[in-house]
Amino acid sequence: MVVASIRLLPSPFLPRRSPFSWRSRPSSFLAFSSIHSTASKEDGGVELGGDQRQGEVIFLGTGTSEGVPRVSCLTDPLKKCKVCSKAAQPYDKNKRLNTSILIRHPNSSGTQNILIDAGKFFYHSALRWFPAYGIRTIDAVIITHSHADAIGGLDDLRDWTNNVQLHIPIHVTKRDFEVMTKTHYYLVDTSVIIPGAKVSDLQFKIISEEPFFVHGLKFTPLPVWHGQNYRSLGFRFGNICYISDVSEIPEETYPLLKDCEVLIMDALRPDCSSSTHFGLPRALEEVRKIQPKRTLFTGMMHLMDHEEVNNYLASLLESEGLDAQLSYDGLRIPLRL
């Protein structure tokens, strides 16, 4: 089978042709899920194999702050952006909203829905995936950092606290909470709200870089740099290590990544890193160093074509046994504790 050329990355990062299609890669790579529709297949819905009582992770968004497609690309009369043109089509896997995941964790009280980050496109992610996957409550939110693509959707949580539940706990570091006292001052201090008005009822819980529990699930913070002198947190929970926004991993964080089964890692673009994010070449270097069993990349911009980059990653599985792929909005993977 002839596979499309990888034109986005210059040599040596990508070959011009990938040896086989991502769709034909070995079954071990696809062990995240068996492809049986629960929502519509067009929505990217999959049904997990194995014991679902162990929980699951749903990718609500896998894109950059601006999302994919870009409006500027779709309105450019002179230059057609291939990835954005694809992403504008319904159900295309290049369509990406702000990076965020939902952890569905069963415990003695039922299934708890724990959200990591609520960015400025959170409403649109929830609108697409909550009805499709039967999600109603948000039992806690954990914040990685205080950029708009991580906290811009906190105001939208009012739909839940007004109509579904009384309040939502927000787990956040002191430094990021201090940012929220300015960006979301009316959610932090509700006394400033006009009587009769309703806003999100949030309960802020300060975390440090020490492990903490949310509804019985242990979270170990993974401190990383997200640009010079800007601290962000990844989190380890169950068999998963999640690092969504990173430009450098401090040496003291690597021991916390030891024996990681599933690594979810930032990979902004195909050719190089930026000042605040890993590019794919650097992300792959980190994967080789950390040596997880499997890797899913997230946080991709519009230069990352889902099928073409996955074709390249498939060649790494064959050549060096590196099991990695791009994630996509709506993907579900099992969580083992």
Side-chain angles (χ1 to χ4, degrees), residues 46-48 52-58 102-106 111-112 133 135 237 240 331-336:
V46 296
E47 182 173 330
L48 299 175
Q52 294 192 51
R53 291 174 300 174
Q54 292 182 339
E56 65 176 334
V57 173
I58 300 173
L102 184 83
I103 303 160
R104 307 204 73 187
H105 170 53
T111 297
Q112 307 297 319
Y133 291 141
I135 303 163
F237 53 93
I240 293 173
L331 175 66
R332 302 164 72 183
I333 64 173
L335 169 65
R336 288 192 291 275

Side-chain angles (χ1 to χ4, degrees), residues 130-145:
F130 277 45
Y133 291 141
I135 303 163
R136 180 156 174 80
T137 62
I138 300 175
D139 299 294
V141 179
I142 301 173
I143 300 298
T144 61
H145 66 300

Side-chain angles (χ1 to χ4, degrees), residues 100-120:
S100 175
I101 59 173
L102 184 83
I103 303 160
R104 307 204 73 187
H105 170 53
N107 62 17
S108 59
S109 301
T111 297
Q112 307 297 319
N113 299 314
I114 304 170
L115 179 68
I116 295 188
D117 288 342
K120 55 188 181 179

Side-chain angles (χ1 to χ4, degrees), residues 49-244:
D51 186 357
Q52 294 192 51
R53 291 174 300 174
Q54 292 182 339
E56 65 176 334
V57 173
I58 300 173
F59 289 73
L60 298 182
T62 59
T64 58
S65 181
E66 60 193 359
V68 183
R70 288 181 176 178
V71 175
S72 60
C73 287
L74 299 181
T75 58
D76 190 336
L78 301 177
K79 183 179 179 181
K80 182 177 181 179
C81 174
K82 180 179 66 174
V83 174
C84 287
S85 296
K86 288 182 180 181
Q89 303 303 311
Y91 315 121
D92 189 88
K93 289 181 180 177
N94 288 295
K95 185 188 297 292
R96 305 173 185 126
L97 298 181
N98 293 163
T99 299
S100 175
I101 59 173
L102 184 83
I103 303 160
R104 307 204 73 187
H105 170 53
N107 62 17
S108 59
S109 301
T111 297
Q112 307 297 319
N113 299 314
I114 304 170
L115 179 68
I116 295 188
D117 288 342
K120 55 188 181 179
F121 296 150
F122 168 71
Y123 166 80
H124 301 280
S125 294
L127 185 64
R128 185 174 184 187
W129 301 115
F130 277 45
Y133 291 141
I135 303 163
R136 180 156 174 80
T137 62
I138 300 175
D139 299 294
V141 179
I142 301 173
I143 300 298
T144 61
H145 66 300
S146 52
H147 287 167
D149 57 349
I151 66 171
L154 292 178
D155 185 74
D156 293 320
L157 299 181
R158 70 174 68 186
D159 187 17
W160 281 261
T161 60
N162 288 347
N163 302 303
V164 178
Q165 58 199 84
L166 294 176
H167 57 264
I168 299 176
I170 308 294
H171 299 262
V172 59
T173 64
K174 185 175 184 294
R175 60 179 176 270
D176 293 320
F177 178 71
E178 289 173 351
V179 173
M180 292 178 186
T181 63
K182 301 174 183 177
T183 60
H184 294 78
Y185 66 93
Y186 60 98
L187 299 180
V188 174
D189 180 9
T190 57
S191 68
V192 303
I193 302 300
I194 297 172
K198 290 187 176 181
V199 299
S200 307
D201 189 346
L202 309 179
Q203 296 182 340
F204 294 95
K205 299 179 179 294
I206 302 301
I207 61 173
S208 65
E209 294 184 353
E210 297 298 319
F212 61 98
F213 286 84
V214 179
H215 296 294
L217 181 59
K218 181 180 179 181
F219 288 84
T220 299
L222 304 172
V224 296
W225 296 113
H226 180 29
Q228 188 175 10
N229 298 323
Y230 187 86
R231 197 80 151 177
S232 182
L233 291 182
F235 296 98
R236 181 168 188 157
F237 53 93
N239 63 323
I240 293 173
C241 293
Y242 178 75
I243 303 177
S244 61

Side-chain angles (χ1 to χ4, degrees), residues 254-271:
Y254 285 107
L256 302 175
L257 297 166
K258 186 178 180 181
D259 299 323
C260 174
E261 186 169 336
V262 180
L263 174 65
I264 303 171
M265 174 77 80
D266 188 18
L268 175 69
R269 53 184 295 149
D271 49 357

Side-chain angles (χ1 to χ4, degrees), residues 300-333:
M300 290 80 68
M301 67 181 300
H302 73 144
L303 297 179
M304 296 279 271
D305 182 278
H306 183 85
E307 185 171 10
E308 290 188 1
V309 174
N310 271 341
N311 284 341
Y312 164 63
L313 293 173
S315 71
L316 300 184
L317 179 62
E318 184 142 290
S319 64
E320 58 179 286
L322 195 153
D323 196 345
Q325 71 177 129
L326 300 187
S327 61
Y328 56 88
D329 293 20
L331 175 66
R332 302 164 72 183
I333 64 173

